[in-house]
Amino acid sequence: MYKDNNELLYVAEISASEKDRLIEQAFNDPEIMQMINKFVTSKYELTDTIEAKWVFKERIGYVGYLVFGNSESADWQVQILYAVDKDKIVKSGAFVKRSSNIVDVYDAVDGNIYNTSTANITENEITITWKEGPLVPKSEDGTTILSTTETISPKSFPPSGECDWCVLICDAVIGGGCSVTGAIRCALVCAGNPVCIGVCTVVWAAICVIGGAAADCDANCISWGYCP
């Protein structure tokens, strides 16, 4: 999803100065600091940051991760995800690892931190248990959906072409709704591929920050310029 034809949504190159500005902005955001204070204990430190720049038509925005863990281990313990649109952080949330395969997912909404879901991730399956807050999806009768279990094969990435890639990633995001739960599904779909995870997070931003996307990913990928 790096622009090479007539795509309307794509990942753009990001400069070092843009990355530095995003990190500073994140550490000055009250909700992000609330999550850091809540979830990052004294034994963890900032071990990595990931930033990506998206362009939709003429609109520019960013997504970023703050990654915390033990400096002596490559494994992460807490990840803070945030999305920037029109120079403001408009969505943020946290992934807090409870064990090697269980992750608690939190969303920041209007100054409150909600434990929206828990994700149980195995080699080729992810079980989402929905818990609390305004971003928990509802069934048609208005009741809370308590859990969904799906099998997603990481071996299917990368697909045969950009159209298949777009639909695969879009389906992963929409299945998790506009909680940051939608973004954690990228980790399984992308099988740890960092480029795929970055693109997947940009698609999450397109659907949940820009808005206007359809529930039909075939239609989305046509409108974004990836499918004929």
Side-chain angles (χ1 to χ4, degrees), residues 5 11 13 18 25 35 51 58-59 62 82 86 99 109 112 117 121 133 140 143 146 159 195 198 205 221-222 226:
N5 293 305
V11 181
E13 296 295 331
E18 286 176 305
Q25 186 175 9
M35 288 185 284
E51 297 80 27
E58 300 301 317
R59 189 169 171 179
Y62 304 88
Y82 59 97
K86 299 178 181 177
S99 67
V109 182
N112 297 308
S117 68
I121 304 171
E140 290 185 2
T143 58
L146 295 180
V195 174
C221 292
I222 290 170
Y226 290 94

Side-chain angles (χ1 to χ4, degrees), residues 19 21-27 29 32 35 49-51 62-66 80-84 89-93 180 201 204:
K19 290 185 176 186
R21 177 169 52 83
L22 286 171
I23 295 168
E24 181 180 1
Q25 186 175 9
F27 277 105
D29 182 81
I32 289 178
M35 288 185 284
T49 68
I50 303 168
E51 297 80 27
Y62 304 88
V63 290
Y65 284 93
L66 303 176
I80 307 287
L81 168 64
Y82 59 97
V84 176
I89 294 177
V90 293
K91 282 185 84 69
S92 62
V180 297
T201 308
W204 169 77

